Amino acid sequence: MVSDNMTERLIVGLDLPNVADAEKAVRDLDGVASFYKIGYRLAFAGGLELARDLVADGKSVFLDMKLLDIDNTVAQGVESVVNMGVTMLTLHAYPKAMRAAVAAAKGSDLCLLGVTVLTSMDEQDLVEAGYEYDPHTLVLRRAEQVLAAGMGGIVCAATEAAAVRKIVGADLAVVTPGIRPAGADHGDQKRVMTPADALRAGASHLVVARPIVAAPDKRAAAQAILAEMQAA
């Protein structure tokens, strides 16, 4: 079930160039944030060791690796991630890969998340990539496949959260990146929503990176977003 504690539902994206900057961000947010996302940029700059350190310090970690490979390779990767003790791991929502990951994570507390359509992509981007579906239709198809595979949740744009929630039910995590406070720059995101609207739409967790880690006062930025979440 979705927690009432907004600190557990705000995931701060440590989209930073090095571990030193990430560690400083975590220190700046001490007592405000407790859940952190580590993606490619930081992972390839020492972020996997940082993930272990954060787990050891009692923090929750969302490892955003978007795995996709042959079944055996996916399964072996998931087994290694289980041993790290992180809370969430992403993989692209391809049915075979998801089934392999679920089997590998069985008996653990790792929440596996299926990535549907990246929030930087619109309909023309999907056409160019060879998909026959528009983003909304593809997201809903992936949501059905996530549920059938026994995954722990789904990653989608907040604009699709309400429709996804109807498919996956109340128990699965619906994690939404592309969150921007009112008036914030959208950057390269094309399907965005405010924190309050995302929660009202059915999101269980919000991933917020640049509006927090690029803010002059990270702590104040995170507190403002938490206040908006609480008001929703």
Side-chain angles (χ1 to χ4, degrees):
M1 297 298 289
V2 177
S3 172
D4 291 330
N5 185 344
M6 293 302 161
T7 302
E8 296 176 0
R9 298 174 66 179
L10 173 62
I11 303 174
V12 178
L14 295 176
D15 296 345
L16 295 163
N18 55 64
V19 169
D21 286 351
E23 288 175 336
K24 183 179 185 305
V26 172
R27 289 195 300 272
D28 289 345
L29 294 168
D30 185 45
V32 176
S34 63
F35 206 154
Y36 296 95
K37 178 181 78 74
I38 294 177
Y40 287 153
R41 186 186 192 190
L42 188 57
F44 297 148
L48 296 182
E49 286 306 314
L50 175 62
R52 292 182 174 91
D53 292 342
L54 290 172
V55 170
D57 196 36
K59 305 292 194 299
S60 297
V61 174
F62 168 17
L63 204 56
D64 190 16
M65 293 290 97
K66 300 183 179 72
L67 302 182
L68 181 61
D69 212 308
I70 63 172
D71 297 359
N72 190 53
T73 301
V74 168
Q76 291 173 339
V78 169
E79 288 169 1
S80 294
V81 172
V82 166
N83 292 332
M84 293 176 66
V86 303
T87 301
M88 290 177 168
L89 170 70
T90 53
L91 57 149
H92 281 290
Y94 285 59
K96 280 173 61 66
M98 290 192 291
R99 290 193 292 268
V102 168
K106 187 175 181 179
S108 76
D109 293 328
L110 179 63
C111 179
L112 295 169
L113 302 171
V115 176
T116 55
V117 178
L118 301 178
T119 52
S120 62
M121 300 181 74
D122 58 19
E123 185 167 1
Q124 184 55 44
D125 295 318
L126 289 183
V127 169
E128 187 176 4
Y131 287 94
E132 62 179 298
Y133 302 105
D134 62 88
H136 186 75
T137 302
L138 182 56
V139 167
L140 299 190
R141 179 173 174 80
R142 294 297 195 215
E144 293 169 351
Q145 293 167 332
V146 162
L147 185 63
M151 297 276 283
I154 193 167
V155 179
C156 65
T159 51
E160 285 118 21
V164 164
R165 182 60 75 190
K166 290 179 181 178
I167 293 172
V168 303
D171 292 336
L172 266 66
V174 175
V175 180
T176 58
I179 300 298
R180 293 291 184 270
D185 180 21
H186 289 187
D188 59 356
Q189 305 283 10
K190 295 180 179 178
R191 298 175 359 261
V192 302
M193 191 175 278
T194 66
D197 287 342
L199 291 180
R200 293 188 189 104
S204 62
H205 297 78
L206 311 185
V207 179
V208 185
R210 278 169 283 187
I212 292 177
V213 299
D217 187 336
K218 299 177 183 62
R219 192 177 188 86
Q223 288 172 327
I225 289 171
L226 285 167
E228 184 176 348
M229 292 171 65
Q230 192 64 51

